[in-house]
Protein backbone atom coordinates (compact mmCIF):
# COMPACT_ATOMS: atom_id res chain seq x y z
CA UNK A 1 0.00 0.00 0.00
CA UNK A 2 2.85 2.38 0.76
CA UNK A 3 4.16 2.04 -2.80
CA UNK A 4 0.72 3.00 -4.08
CA UNK A 5 0.67 6.15 -1.94
CA UNK A 6 4.15 7.08 -3.13
CA UNK A 7 3.05 6.63 -6.72
CA UNK A 8 -0.03 8.81 -6.20
CA UNK A 9 2.17 11.47 -4.59
CA UNK A 10 4.58 11.31 -7.53
CA UNK A 11 1.69 11.72 -9.99
CA UNK A 12 0.35 14.70 -8.02
CA UNK A 13 3.74 16.41 -8.05
CA UNK A 14 4.10 15.96 -11.81
CA UNK A 15 0.56 17.15 -12.55
CA UNK A 16 1.05 20.31 -10.50
CA UNK A 17 4.48 21.25 -11.86
CA UNK A 18 4.70 24.46 -13.82
CA UNK A 19 8.13 23.84 -15.36
CA UNK A 20 7.26 21.84 -18.45
CA UNK A 21 10.71 21.88 -20.09
CA UNK A 22 12.85 20.55 -17.24
CA UNK A 23 14.77 17.29 -17.54
CA UNK A 24 12.65 15.81 -14.78
CA UNK A 25 9.46 16.59 -16.72
CA UNK A 26 10.86 15.10 -19.93
CA UNK A 27 11.83 11.97 -17.99
CA UNK A 28 8.28 11.83 -16.62
CA UNK A 29 6.78 12.12 -20.11
CA UNK A 30 9.05 9.32 -21.32
CA UNK A 31 7.90 7.11 -18.43
CA UNK A 32 4.29 7.75 -19.45
CA UNK A 33 5.05 6.64 -23.00
CA UNK A 34 6.66 3.36 -21.97
CA UNK A 35 4.40 2.51 -19.01
CA UNK A 36 0.75 2.26 -20.08
CA UNK A 37 -0.33 1.41 -16.52
CA UNK A 38 1.24 4.59 -15.15
CA UNK A 39 -0.27 6.56 -18.02
CA UNK A 40 -3.73 5.21 -17.15
CA UNK A 41 -3.25 6.11 -13.48
CA UNK A 42 -2.30 9.67 -14.47
CA UNK A 43 -5.42 9.97 -16.64
CA UNK A 44 -7.60 8.80 -13.73
CA UNK A 45 -5.89 11.24 -11.37
CA UNK A 46 -6.56 14.08 -13.82
CA UNK A 47 -10.22 13.04 -14.04
CA UNK A 48 -10.43 13.00 -10.24
CA UNK A 49 -9.04 16.55 -10.08
CA UNK A 50 -11.57 17.72 -12.66
CA UNK A 51 -14.45 16.17 -10.71
CA UNK A 52 -13.23 17.72 -7.46
CA UNK A 53 -13.06 21.16 -9.10
CA UNK A 54 -16.51 20.67 -10.68
CA UNK A 55 -18.19 19.67 -7.43
CA UNK A 56 -16.32 22.40 -5.55
CA UNK A 57 -17.70 25.01 -7.96
CA UNK A 58 -21.16 23.47 -7.75
CA UNK A 59 -21.05 23.62 -3.94
CA UNK A 60 -19.79 27.21 -3.98
CA UNK A 61 -22.55 28.23 -6.39
CA UNK A 62 -25.15 26.64 -4.11
CA UNK A 63 -23.72 28.49 -1.09
CA UNK A 64 -23.72 31.79 -2.98
CA UNK A 65 -27.33 31.30 -4.08
CA UNK A 66 -28.33 30.61 -0.46
CA UNK A 67 -26.52 33.74 0.64
CA UNK A 68 -28.25 35.77 -2.08
CA UNK A 69 -31.63 34.41 -1.07
CA UNK A 70 -31.01 35.34 2.54
CA UNK A 71 -29.57 38.79 1.96
CA UNK A 72 -31.48 40.05 -1.05
CA UNK A 73 -34.88 38.38 -0.82
CA UNK A 74 -35.52 38.02 2.91
CA UNK A 75 -37.75 40.87 4.15
CA UNK A 76 -35.80 40.95 7.43
CA UNK A 77 -32.83 42.39 5.51
CA UNK A 78 -34.74 45.26 3.93
CA UNK A 79 -32.28 47.93 5.15
CA UNK A 80 -29.35 46.02 3.67
CA UNK A 81 -31.18 45.55 0.36
CA UNK A 82 -31.98 49.24 0.11
CA UNK A 83 -28.39 50.20 0.89
CA UNK A 84 -27.00 47.87 -1.82
CA UNK A 85 -29.49 49.19 -4.39
CA UNK A 86 -28.56 52.74 -3.43
CA UNK A 87 -24.86 52.05 -3.91
CA UNK A 88 -25.35 50.55 -7.36
CA UNK A 89 -27.92 53.05 -8.58
CA UNK A 90 -25.50 55.96 -7.95
CA UNK A 91 -22.77 54.47 -10.14
Amino acid sequence: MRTSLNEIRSIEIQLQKAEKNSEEYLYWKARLLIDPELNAKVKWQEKAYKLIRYFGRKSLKKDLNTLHQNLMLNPANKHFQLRVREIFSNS
Side-chain angles (χ1 to χ4, degrees):
M1 182 161 145
R2 190 72 186 150
T3 304
S4 177
L5 291 176
N6 289 335
E7 191 172 64
I8 290 170
R9 176 78 175 124
S10 175
I11 291 170
E12 283 183 22
I13 289 169
Q14 292 302 325
L15 289 177
Q16 295 173 0
K17 276 194 178 261
E19 219 177 302
K20 299 291 186 188
N21 292 325
S22 70
E23 285 182 32
E24 185 180 348
Y25 180 75
L26 294 174
Y27 172 74
W28 173 254
K29 293 301 277 184
R31 279 186 62 200
L32 292 178
L33 289 172
I34 61 173
D35 187 348
E37 187 178 329
L38 178 62
N39 193 19
K41 289 177 182 177
V42 169
K43 298 291 183 207
W44 282 110
Q45 190 77 9
E46 288 173 329
K47 286 181 187 266
Y49 286 151
K50 286 179 184 176
L51 283 171
I52 290 167
R53 282 192 298 273
Y54 170 78
F55 285 109
R57 282 193 301 264
K58 192 173 180 178
S59 176
L60 179 59
K61 186 175 180 179
K62 180 181 172 193
D63 292 346
L64 289 172
N65 282 332
T66 300
L67 181 64
H68 177 264
Q69 292 287 327
N70 187 29
L71 290 176
M72 298 307 289
L73 302 176
N74 187 341
N77 296 320
K78 194 67 172 173
H79 179 71
F80 175 80
Q81 296 164 11
L82 291 172
R83 182 72 181 122
V84 168
R85 287 189 182 105
E86 181 181 300
I87 290 169
F88 286 100
S89 66
N90 290 334
S91 295

